[in-house]
Every structure is written in structure tokens, then in C-alpha cells.
Amino acid sequence: MQLQPALLPMTWAAGLLLMAVLLLVVLNRINLTQIRLPLVACVAAMLGFAWATLFAQSYLQHSLPASLEGRDITLIGTIDSLPASVEQGVRFNFLVEQVLPLDGVTPILPRRLALAWSSGFFGQTTQVVGDVQPGERWQLTVRLTRPHGNANPYGFDYEAWLLEQNLRATGYVRPDADAALKNVRLAAFVLGPGNLVERSRGWLRDRILAALPEKRYAGVLVALVVGDQRGVAQSDWNIFTRTGIGHLISISGLHITMVAGLFAALGQALWRRSFFTAAALPLRLPAQKFAVLVGVAVAFLYVLLAGFGVPAQRTLYMLSVVALALWCGRLTRISSVLCIALAVVLLLDPWAVLAPGFWLSFGAVAIILYASVGRLPPAPATSRWQRWRAALIPATQTQYVVSIGMVPLTLLLFGQVSLISPLANAVAIPLISFVVTPLALLGSVAPLPFNGWLLWSGHACIALLAQALTWLSGLSWAVWSAPVPSWWVFCAAAIGTLWWLAPRGWPLRWAGVAGWLPLLTTLPTHPQSGQFDVIAFDVGQGMALLVETAGHRLLYDTGPAYAPEADAANRVLLPYLKARGIGALDGVIVSHSDSDHSGGALSLLAALPVGWVSSSLPPDNRIVRAAPTHRRCLAGQRWDWDGVHFEMLHPTAVSYTSDKWKPNARSCTLKISAGGQSILLPGDIEATSEIELVNRIPEQLHSTVLLAPHHGSGTSSTEGFLAAVAPSLALFQVGYRNRYHHPKPEVFARYAEHGIERIRTDDSGAITLQFARDLTLSTYRSSHARYWYDR
């Protein structure tokens, strides 16, 4: 259902759900031994499809009307999440309680909003950010938009995430425009279960950060205590990902089980002591059952602190099923426990299947159960060495099983596998689970000054571990990257893995490696000689295009910077390149210095080998200094790759000798041609540069496709330039409802007047062009259509 471009109507989904329930009742009363299982499976699929559809229909009903986008609206409500500090401000979820009238009419808004409050300039006003805390009631003036995110192959689907969180509008807080409508706190705390949980999480986070001021890994301890990973630096995430321990930097199932087991043992021991024995309580409630109650209750509280992530849910539900079986005096298969937990997760959150964590969490547990449950236990230990061996071998075997068993799934989800993960996890799992996490938990609640000592000790352990991981991640062979496999390659590898990990006695277990052969031999796709492909990424308000020939790859511009550690390179470009199995670029062109074109360059150069960089940047620019080889863009530069011709048309050498030229005017303008098809990439050139090009080389401007200069601003796309280029298609790389209002309506209309087909990334997502004998066009939001896209 989560792959559908449109939803069934509510009445059809309800009818399908009712039909599935009736069929299950009928099947339960009919003796169909031979075909019972496939029939039940089919009916269960109908049930799941209908249930997920009703869920989606319910959430989508609460959407922001398009007429309210961009208007100032005053709201009253509560802070509904743990606020996250960002550059110059804060982000948080807001639960709407009351909407003040707008033009005499009270607007109908979604109940939950995702808001940002930053201290920027709004006209002549400088805004002061309020100190928002979970559970507070505020009156805020906000400007809202409908859910929208960048849509790119292999990228994070922000719109799907917003739908799952039931956040049906995003926006930002506006300055006080009216003395009667101030942004003001109305109540310090509004009592409610959700507010209590979020305020508790905030209190624990504040205690940790106060005890570890300016400490690099304080965010890691926060993630281990309350599940808030937003304080972990992107550079540290890169190291954790390359070494394969990212699953530990959160409240994982292992941590929940450990804490629940510890409190269960403590509860059982206390229940058997004299005070409770004298009251005959253990006779009424056996100590084992009391211990189970304590363990599940502690696990539930810990999962609440974790923010109810899928791995935490999976552990809680599995523990709850085991506890229920024990209370009822019934033994249950561990596979049934896992399946029940899986069913509960999907009933409560049908969108969980879209998250990699869902598949990794359940997949890891399933492969461990497959490779361990039902196997013969080891012989009883008789010596100290045998006891050590009996303790170490199962742990080693479990790590081996997970490392081998998760390779196909990890490649499918991320296009890379950490080869040093077994070694890193062998050290990190016991250190984080049995040392750092207990220290962090105790330190977050202990009184002064003990909390500082405990937290400093946990931080020191993490710092030492990070040093070792940094060295490991720097090894050239630390990570194996490959193209994301197709469905049949993944299935072959999965079957081979199950064959490989089968019990002893299974015939030819080593033959399971044959299932991996397609996985190991998959190569990145590329155009044929004499042809080239271009993908214009949806990076918001900015430019970034990848040009591919049969044997070379060139990136034109690197997109914008979104935050100090977030840019188009690490958010869009690198995930795409990794998923495609592209491990290096032959060249990168940075057209000019504006941040919406050069913002991702440093991240890209740090993460990927690049042959050369060409730009119009000054020699002292950081990008120029970071480039392995740098050359200036100069009109007249030409080269050929695999039958495809590249020619730099602008800027001229004389432009570098004058300070009167703005960076836009020096934008590197590149034309790519092959087989009678061509594309012109002019960066942010404006009217003066366009006129100069038309006067100097009018015959070289004609192209099949034109990337709209300066995103379709009012200072570009002159009549003469469009007439000289005479494209059949124009691309507009623009951000959704960007503050510059690009493309300008009059400029966008000018393209239509010239008979040029127009397509824009804020509406279509990433645009892929294949230049062969004919031009082939595809857009991500059409080829990957989903019902939650607001089209």
C-alpha cells in the first residue's frame, strides 16, 4: 500500500477491511487443511492493505488549505516535542488548541505542526527566539506551508516522515507584528501524559548537557538516555556509520533488555525479602511474576524516554509477549514472539515499513533466531577455560551471523557495508551497553556532584572509543560500496545467505556463496558511448547536476548549504552516488561562489575522490584550496569524453582582471553535446552576460535543453538569449515557495511565449534526461509517485 500513487476511497477501504475480517471468520470454521495457509495469507494481506489505507486517509484529512500558505496566522497551543537547537534558533512540534480569526473567519488548521523559530531579520525587525520547553502553552504568530520536501532517488522522503508523525503543515514563527498578538508564553506547563514524558526527556537532556558543557560527545550520552540523536555531530555519524556501530548510538533493544532485566532481578530479590514474606505477598504473587511486571514496566518507561522508535517498540512488545506467556503459564515459540511484535508495530504505525530501521531491527533479530534457535547446546563446561569458551563462542557466533546475514539487506538499503563492523562491534557493544549506558543513565538522575563524575566517566569512555573508531574508519578498505541491488539480485543473495547459515548437516552449506555472486559482481550502470545522461537534483533553492558518459562523471555545482553540518552534498548527492556505486568523480565544476551553488563542495571533496575542480572562484577560496587540482573556467576550454563534447562558453579571461564583475556574471557556462542533442548550463548569469554571449558566439548557444539562468530570476532569461538558445525544454532548479520567488511569473511566462516546455524541480522532484538519438525525460515524482505527494 505504501507504494501506491493514490489511495482507495475511505468507503472502499472500510469495505475491504470488513470483507477480510469476515473471510478470516469463515476460514476459521472451514476445514481446508491443504490450502488453509495460503488462503489465510491472502486474507491477511487484504486486511493489512485496508488497515493501512484507513490510517492514511485519516491522517491526510487534516491538511493545510493551499489558500492559507504564506499567511500570518496566530495560534494558541502547547510545545508538543523535545525542542532541537539549530543555528540561530530552535525547532519543535506544536499542538494547536485554538486559532485566532483571520479576516473575520477562524481558519481550520491541522492539529500538529512542525515549527522553526529563528533570530533572523524580517524586514526591519530582528526577532528574539523564545525559550520554549515541552508542555508550555504559547501564543504564536506563524506562517505555514503544506508538507514538502526534496524528492530525489535514494534520498530521505521528508514528506512521508511528516505524514507518519501526523505533522500536516510546517512553518516558522513570525515577529510580533501587532502588540495584541505577541509571541508570548501563556502557561509554564500544561498537564498531560505526552507533556510529562517530553518534559522528563528535556529535564534529563538538560542535566547531561549542563554536566558536560562544550563536550564533543555529550550528544551521544543524550542519545543513549533519551533517544535524541540530534546532538551528535555529522562528522561523528560518518565515523559510526563507516564502522557499523550506528545502531548502538541510541536506545537499542539490547539496552532496553539489559535495563529491564536488571530491574526485574532487583524486584525479584526484594520481593523475596522478609518484609514482603511476612505479609505473605510472595504466596499471592510469585516472585517470578512480580519480576516480570517490574521488567515490563521499566522497559515501557524507558521506551517512552526513547521517543518510541521502532527498535525500542520491537523490544518492548517482545518482552510483553514473553511476560504474558509466563503469566498465563503458556510456553510460546520465539518466532511467534517476534511475529506478534511485528504485527503490533505495523498496526500502530503502518508507515514503519518505509524506515530502514524497521527492516534492520527485525531482520537482525530474525537472522539471529534462524541461526541459533533449535541448535544443540554446547557440552557442559568442566574447567575455567571451557567456561570462558562457553561464554565467548555464542557471542562470537552471534556477531558472525549478524555480520554475514545482514549484508544483502544493508546493501539494499544503503549501497555499502562496513567490513570492519565485526571488529568495531566486538569492542563497542560491551563498552557502550555495559559501561557507558549504565553510567549515562545513573548520571542523568544522580544528585550533584555524583552525576558529573558518572557522566564524565561515560564521556571519557566514548571519547576513547571514538579515537579507535576514527583510526579504523580511515582505513581504505573499511567500507565496501556497491550499487543498490535489483530485487532479483537481493532475493538471490538472501536465499544464499539462509543456505549458508543453515544448521550443520544441511547439504553443501558453502554453496550458499553462489547466491552472492550477482551481488558481488554488480557494476554501476552508464550510458553507451556517444550518449550522456544528466540528472538535475531537487536540492531546494540551488543547483546541482550530474553528467554521465560511458566512462566519466562530472558534477556541475554542488547545491546549497542548509546548516553548519548539513548541505546538499551529504543530504542528497552523496547518498545518490553511494546507492549507484559511484565511488569517484572525474570532475566538478563550481560555477561561482554563491552558497546555493557551492554550499556542498567542501563536504563532497572530503567524502569522495575528485579528479579536478574547475570554477570561477578567487584563489583564496576554501574550495580552491581543498581541490586536488584546480583550474579556472575560461571560454574556449574544450574536451571530449566517450564521444561527448564539452565546451566552456563563459567567462572570458578579461572578466577576471576587473573587480566590477559580480560572481553571478562570472558563472561558468558549459555546453555539452552529442549526437545532435545538447544542454546548456549557464549558472547564474544575468542580462549583461547573456547579451555578451549573444553578441560574441550566437551560433554556439543553440541547445536542446537549457538550465534556466539564475533560477528564472527577473534579471536573466532575456528575449535575445532565449531566441539564440532556442531550446525545446527548460529546467528550473528552484526551492518550494523560496523567498526570492523564483522563477518570476513574467520570466516563466516568457519561456512559454517562446514555445519552450518548462519543468521545475519544486514540482517534479529530480529530473533525469537521457541524451541519445532522441531526448528522454523522466521526473522523480512521476516515476516514483506516492499518494502523500502534494501534486
Side-chain angles (χ1 to χ4, degrees), residues 171-401:
Y172 57 93
V173 178
R174 295 278 294 168
D176 302 333
D178 186 338
L181 301 176
K182 285 186 176 180
N183 296 323
V184 61
R185 182 189 294 109
L186 302 179
F189 185 72
V190 178
L191 187 62
N195 290 341
L196 281 172
V197 171
E198 294 302 324
R199 180 61 69 92
S200 300
R201 297 178 73 208
W203 178 77
L204 292 171
R205 184 180 67 174
D206 291 344
R207 294 203 81 213
I208 295 171
L209 296 179
L212 300 172
E214 305 299 325
K215 290 299 180 180
R216 176 173 178 177
Y217 302 106
V220 174
L221 298 186
V222 171
L224 293 173
V225 174
V226 299
D228 181 15
Q229 301 175 339
R230 294 170 294 188
V232 182
Q234 182 62 44
S235 56
D236 293 329
W237 272 124
N238 294 338
I239 293 172
F240 298 149
T241 301
R242 284 181 62 84
T243 53
I245 72 151
H247 63 101
L248 295 174
I249 312 302
S250 63
I251 302 180
S252 68
L254 179 61
H255 302 157
I256 294 170
T257 305
M258 177 190 69
V259 173
L262 177 65
F263 275 87
L266 180 62
Q268 184 172 1
L270 291 176
W271 196 248
R272 289 173 171 170
R273 291 303 178 263
S274 57
F275 174 78
F276 297 103
T277 305
L281 293 178
L283 296 179
R284 301 179 183 179
L285 180 64
Q288 188 179 24
K289 290 188 175 182
F290 178 75
V292 166
L293 279 179
V294 172
V296 171
V298 170
F300 177 70
L301 293 175
Y302 199 10
V303 169
L304 285 180
L305 289 178
F308 238 69
V310 169
Q313 288 186 56
R314 184 257 304 161
T315 304
L316 174 64
Y317 301 147
M318 291 183 72
L319 289 174
S320 300
V321 172
V322 171
L324 184 61
L326 190 148
W327 262 73
C328 297
R330 296 185 58 183
L331 295 176
T332 185
R333 293 176 298 179
I334 191 65
S335 58
S336 298
V337 173
L338 182 64
C339 288
I340 292 172
L342 175 65
V344 174
V345 167
L346 293 178
L347 283 172
L348 298 179
D349 181 9
W351 293 282
V353 295
L354 299 176
F358 170 85
W359 299 99
L360 293 174
S361 178
F362 281 99
V365 175
I367 200 69
I368 291 172
L369 297 180
Y370 171 77
S372 60
V373 173
R375 310 294 173 93
L376 292 175
T382 57
S383 65
R384 179 178 297 179
W385 162 247
Q386 288 179 336
R387 287 194 293 271
W388 274 101
R389 186 171 178 270
L392 290 174
I393 286 180
T396 304
Q397 288 178 336
T398 298
Q399 185 59 50
Y400 161 77
V401 166

Side-chain angles (χ1 to χ4, degrees), residues 427-625:
V427 177
I429 287 176
L431 181 63
I432 292 179
S433 299
F434 303 117
V435 179
V436 176
T437 299
L439 287 173
L441 288 170
L442 291 173
S444 64
V445 297
L448 295 172
F450 302 105
N451 72 320
W453 301 341
L454 294 168
L455 292 171
W456 274 72
S457 300
H459 186 274
C461 293
I462 286 290
L464 289 173
L465 176 64
Q467 290 182 7
L469 295 177
T470 301
W471 178 81
L472 284 174
S473 68
L475 298 173
S476 58
W477 50 270
V479 173
W480 170 47
S481 297
V484 169
S486 60
W487 68 268
W488 72 268
V489 171
F490 169 75
C491 290
I495 293 171
T497 301
L498 295 177
W499 195 284
W500 187 352
L501 298 178
R504 290 183 179 180
W506 192 267
L508 301 176
R509 286 195 302 167
W510 56 268
V513 179
W516 280 34
L517 292 179
L519 192 71
L520 300 175
T521 56
T522 301
L523 297 175
T525 58
H526 53 77
Q528 297 181 7
S529 181
Q531 303 176 4
F532 67 99
D533 295 347
V534 176
I535 177 169
F537 294 100
D538 181 10
V539 293
Q541 185 65 21
M543 283 187 187
L545 301 95
L546 179 68
V547 182
E548 297 185 72
T549 67
H552 297 81
R553 293 177 175 91
L554 169 72
L555 185 68
Y556 182 88
D557 277 338
T558 60
Y562 306 125
E565 288 196 328
D567 51 55
N570 54 38
R571 290 290 188 265
V572 177
L573 306 180
L574 291 172
Y576 176 84
L577 296 174
K578 289 177 181 178
R580 288 279 313 282
I582 299 173
L585 294 173
D586 296 280
V588 172
I589 295 177
V590 180
S591 64
H592 62 296
S593 59
D594 284 0
S595 62
D596 58 331
H597 296 251
S598 62
L602 292 175
S603 296
L604 184 84
L605 293 173
L608 208 65
V610 173
W612 49 261
V613 175
S614 182
S615 76
S616 61
L617 304 174
D620 60 346
N621 189 279
R622 294 174 60 195
I623 298 171
V624 174
R625 297 200 303 267

